[in-house]
Amino acid sequence: MKKTAHIISHTHWDREWYMPYEYHHMRLIDVMDTLLATLDQGNGYESFHLDGQTLMLEDYFQVRPENRERVARYIREGRIHIGPWYILQDEFLTSSEANIRNLQIGHQDAEAYGRISKLGYFPDSFGNMGQAPQILKQAGIDTAAFGRGVKPTGFNNMVSDGDFESPYSEMLWQSPDGSQVLGILFANWYSNGNEIPTNREEAKAFWEEKLQSAERYASTPHLLYMNGCDHQPIQTDLPEAIETAKLLYPDIDFVHSDFDAYMEAVKSTVPDDLTVIEGELRSQQTDGWYTLVNTASARVYLKQMNQEVQTLLEKGAEPLAVMANATGMTYPDHKLQYAWKTLMQNHPHDSICGCSVDEVHRGMVTRFENAKHVAETVVQESLTAIAGHVDVSAFSDDTHALPFTVVNGTGHTAHGPVTIDIEAASWPFSNGGPAKSVQEMKNYDLPTFRLVDDAGNEVPATITDVGAHFNYDLPDDRFRQPYVARYVSVTFEASNVPAFGTKAYALVAGASEKPAHTSLLSGTNTLENDYVRAEVQTDGSLTITNLETGKIVEGAGVYENSGDIGNEYIFKKPEGETPLTTKGLKAQVAIVEDTPYQATIEVNHAFEVPATADDTLAQEIQEIVEFRQRKAQRAKETVVLHITTRYTLNRNDKGVRIHSSFNNTAKDHRLRMLFPTDTDTDVHYADSIFEVAKRNTNPEPEWENPSNCQHQHAFASVHDEKDGITVANKGLNEYEVLRDGRNTIAVTLIRSVQELGDWGVFPTPEAQCQGEHSAELMVIPHAADESVAAYVEAYQFQAPLFAVQNKETKAAALPAVHQFVTWDGNGLVHSSLKQATNGDWMIRWFNPTAQPVQFEVTASEGNKLYKSNVLEEKCSEATNQVFTATVGPYEIFTVGIQTTS
């Protein structure tokens, strides 16, 4: 069969990277202007692939709004191809739902122009998520193109030789649930057709090499040539270059193609013996140096901010807005989409990976804060609406009662710490002025309070008079209303707060009627509840006992410090170095909290470590010495890392919460926390995108890198046939299971480096991450058959409970304890509750196990339910208020609810 060379023009647009955003932005304007002028000429330049991300259009129209219709016309004509994503994200550093919102918003943006490129486009993701084929298939996409994860690319993206997972650039990619798409690997990178010569002699040399390299991997006569690269200008003379190629090789069809045409041609000729590659694509069959996994620990503060905002949107703003919608509030879809877009502008891989110049990441901090403020606004509006409809009449017998409502935005019954400041009384400025307000509230006779639930049961709590403070209201129909209020702060552990639900409490007048509390401290420096015992040793480490199985593990919470002479992409320990640890280092240990619901032990370390790398490193960086060849060591000079660790146990927790804080005064180093598991297994598990990924602890035979770090979201877990340890986290995306005979889970808290790395010399002094930092973790021991329950505990650790004061004590529509939607499906994990653009509620779960799960969800009377997909389309007829199904192994399952409101 005659060969066809499909030349697809594109530019891979890193929105910000080795230059600040606006530098790249201005280049985008020039590229797009040139593209439009080239298409206008009608000289045979057929089409352009706009890198799979609609954000490029937003950025362009911000400066060139007058060209919107010109662009729209070429999209409608199929000459500019857009979508299916909003941005080209790093898949492993953005949450499951963030990946879905990215796809949803990309589709919405593209649909406005009438055409969507239905191609799963992952040109430069630093590894690919295992559930991508299932997500794509649910979105009506059956093809994917990717540049990494299966075959290794090395320095400057050079292809290596060796045996790989697939002998072809074409392969079948399969998710854990069995969904398959046709995958195309950019075997010769996405620049193998870049800058095609028009000169015959130059073109001959170019095509001799390019034809041979493409034929080396292609399973069909259709050869792919990507005419572009990072921030590549338009090749305006491409039609002339194609004509030259045709003259040189009359037996080959050279066409200015697009992915639609190319994929259809490949599908019609692909052989039957394609390799099926399964799950995550993480470049495991390589030497291990260029997986770029250590971007998960570059500028950890960015990952922590990202986790906070993602969780606030997914488990706060969206589900609370749905609950408020049930009480009559209009769902603020426009605000939430704005928040998501603002957040996702931090999700391109060179942004969220922390592997750009310092100016880029300063801008990201502002975006994170902006998205957070929008989410907080929606949360507060929703809480106010919900509280106005909660029946707190059970507390009306007490004239001093101060009721409030705890709200759970997750799909699992929740427990956890809650702190809320309650207005006991207030005095407006309008009634005598500010001074009068302050004086009245200072003189207010505050009664003694105790905390009760709706049944009148006293709840252990810490109740504190926090004095008089200024505040204000912003009414919808009047000017701002300033006042001073007298506040009472209450802290307690809420328990059994319903999934998608609310639970009312109140402060009532009177002294506590409870007898002296039962402490969560047992013995010297030991925390203990019904599930776990944790004894703090003299070196600050924990000895953890699982009280359900009896297993004891020693040495949890030890800190490890190593030098790092790598870069933002890649960790590299100096040759011959032995890491330092706090094992055996005497610490100051003190009990700092002892209440009936919570106890905390504080540990303080003075950990002496080398101050920086020696001067050799700076010289090697300037001389562009590849990191593997560097001879730098750590300097002799030392600094002290003052580390404060707080171990906290709540009465209903299945594990110990850990808060670590420190002032990072060292440079060129990595700090990790170690959690031995003492399990007998060669595999472990990590929270990933809609799956708990099973991974081999021992790398492949060709692996050379001494380090084997991996990505995680909410947790990493190791268990054998008897016991296990799950370590949860908030925004700590890098872990490693050490091959130390104990299967120790090492979680990276900070990594300090001084250069971007990659293709040049780009100093990044702010990547040293100097100053104050903190980290939150939770270590959860469990039986092997309780793994899913431990995973849910880890997910719940990330999600806060919300609380809001009820300003009126009267009967209302919602009972004091209420669940807006109920469901049953033991083994499923809830992912999101939101409203779709058509007004229906959407709830998503996933099955992390290999077993099917019988599932039932019940909505309010009058509502109808149906099966949906990741694009929130209707996939079955809406039935009555009860929906039942069997959720298959590893399936992502979405249910739509047609509401009567």
Side-chain angles (χ1 to χ4, degrees), residues 533-760:
R533 179 188 304 124
E535 181 181 359
V536 182
Q537 306 300 319
T538 57
D539 66 355
S541 65
L542 284 182
T543 297
I544 300 174
T545 303
N546 182 343
L547 296 178
E548 295 181 309
T549 68
K551 181 172 179 175
I552 301 173
V553 176
E554 299 178 344
V558 168
Y559 291 92
E560 176 209 77
N561 185 260
S562 302
D564 189 347
I565 59 171
N567 52 50
E568 290 182 317
Y569 291 92
I570 301 166
F571 166 77
K572 176 65 167 65
K573 183 168 64 70
E575 291 297 330
E577 178 187 284
T578 299
L580 304 170
T581 75
T582 58
K583 183 178 181 180
L585 176 65
K586 186 173 177 57
Q588 295 179 344
V589 181
I591 297 168
V592 295
E593 184 178 19
D594 179 14
T595 71
Y597 55 89
Q598 188 176 80
T600 300
I601 297 175
E602 183 177 281
V603 174
N604 282 281
H605 280 105
F607 190 17
E608 188 174 1
V609 303
T612 184
D614 62 24
D615 293 340
T616 304
L617 179 59
Q619 179 181 347
E620 289 175 329
I621 289 173
Q622 288 305 311
E623 294 176 357
I624 320 181
V625 176
E626 200 256 356
F627 68 91
R628 287 179 294 184
Q629 311 306 318
R630 292 175 182 171
K631 304 301 182 184
Q633 296 289 314
R634 302 182 85 176
K636 301 298 183 184
E637 177 191 357
T638 63
V639 295
V640 175
L641 295 180
H642 293 282
I643 307 175
T644 298
T645 310
R646 286 194 160 208
Y647 297 117
T648 297
L649 186 65
N650 289 323
R651 185 160 297 280
N652 293 299
D653 278 350
K654 298 291 182 69
V656 180
R657 298 170 187 253
I658 303 172
H659 184 277
S660 173
S661 59
F662 52 92
N663 183 1
N664 181 35
T665 54
K667 297 180 179 180
D668 307 312
H669 75 114
R670 179 182 69 183
L671 183 68
R672 303 199 291 189
M673 186 174 274
L674 307 181
F675 299 92
T677 67
D678 292 336
T679 50
D680 183 17
T681 178
D682 293 328
V683 299
H684 65 272
Y685 302 83
D687 179 41
S688 192
I689 311 303
F690 290 113
E691 71 168 321
V692 178
K694 181 179 180 181
R695 296 172 180 164
N696 293 325
T697 300
N698 297 312
E700 298 295 325
E702 52 265 62
W703 196 272
E704 297 176 4
N705 189 347
S707 173
N708 189 20
C709 292
Q710 307 294 345
H711 289 94
Q712 65 174 342
H713 279 281
F715 59 83
S717 181
V718 184
H719 60 80
D720 54 23
E721 295 180 353
K722 297 179 181 179
D723 300 275
I725 297 284
T726 294
V727 180
N729 75 88
K730 294 183 181 180
L732 305 174
N733 291 123
E734 181 182 276
Y735 77 95
E736 181 178 9
V737 177
L738 304 182
R739 291 156 277 163
D740 60 351
R742 301 189 68 188
N743 274 329
T744 296
I745 300 172
V747 180
T748 305
L749 306 186
I750 195 170
R751 192 164 69 86
S752 302
V753 295
Q754 60 179 281
E755 67 154 344
L756 187 156
D758 205 283
W759 61 276

Side-chain angles (χ1 to χ4, degrees), residues 115 166 191 251-252 418 425 438 700 717 721 782:
R115 293 179 71 104
S166 171
S191 58
D251 57 337
I252 298 175
V418 172
V438 171
E700 298 295 325
S717 181
E721 295 180 353
H782 54 88

Side-chain angles (χ1 to χ4, degrees), residues 706-864:
S707 173
N708 189 20
C709 292
Q710 307 294 345
H711 289 94
Q712 65 174 342
H713 279 281
F715 59 83
S717 181
V718 184
H719 60 80
D720 54 23
E721 295 180 353
K722 297 179 181 179
D723 300 275
I725 297 284
T726 294
V727 180
N729 75 88
K730 294 183 181 180
L732 305 174
N733 291 123
E734 181 182 276
Y735 77 95
E736 181 178 9
V737 177
L738 304 182
R739 291 156 277 163
D740 60 351
R742 301 189 68 188
N743 274 329
T744 296
I745 300 172
V747 180
T748 305
L749 306 186
I750 195 170
R751 192 164 69 86
S752 302
V753 295
Q754 60 179 281
E755 67 154 344
L756 187 156
D758 205 283
W759 61 276
V761 180
F762 301 97
T764 55
E766 292 173 24
Q768 295 281 14
C769 299
Q770 301 290 277
E772 297 292 339
H773 294 268
S774 63
E776 293 183 71
L777 306 97
M778 186 177 188
V779 54
I780 308 166
H782 54 88
D785 59 1
E786 291 293 323
S787 294
V788 174
Y791 301 160
V792 171
E793 186 90 358
Y795 290 126
Q796 295 297 90
F797 172 65
Q798 288 197 329
L801 288 167
F802 299 90
V804 57
Q805 185 172 357
N806 300 76
K807 294 297 182 70
E808 297 182 10
T809 56
K810 64 179 182 180
L814 302 178
V817 179
H818 180 65
Q819 192 168 3
F820 287 86
V821 179
T822 61
W823 67 280
D824 181 52
N826 188 33
L828 298 186
V829 174
H830 166 249
S831 184
S832 67
L833 168 63
K834 63 182 291 289
Q835 184 172 292
T837 54
N838 66 0
D840 292 350
W841 295 359
M842 293 288 160
I843 316 179
R844 189 156 29 254
W845 295 263
F846 71 95
N847 182 356
T849 76
Q851 304 303 317
V853 174
Q854 298 305 310
F855 168 76
E856 181 176 284
V857 58
T858 304
S860 301
E861 185 175 355
N863 295 340
K864 295 182 178 181

Side-chain angles (χ1 to χ4, degrees), residues 311-312 314-324 379 383 386 390 405-416 418 494-505 792 795-804 816-821 823 830 832-833:
T311 303
L312 188 61
E314 296 166 16
K315 301 301 187 290
E318 287 181 336
L320 268 58
V322 166
M323 298 178 202
V379 166
L383 287 172
I386 293 167
V390 174
T405 299
V406 175
V407 185
N408 175 15
T410 78
H412 302 275
T413 302
H415 66 269
V418 172
S495 61
N496 297 317
V497 184
F500 312 130
T502 61
K503 187 174 183 178
Y505 296 85
V792 171
Y795 290 126
Q796 295 297 90
F797 172 65
Q798 288 197 329
L801 288 167
F802 299 90
V804 57
V817 179
H818 180 65
Q819 192 168 3
F820 287 86
V821 179
W823 67 280
H830 166 249
S832 67
L833 168 63

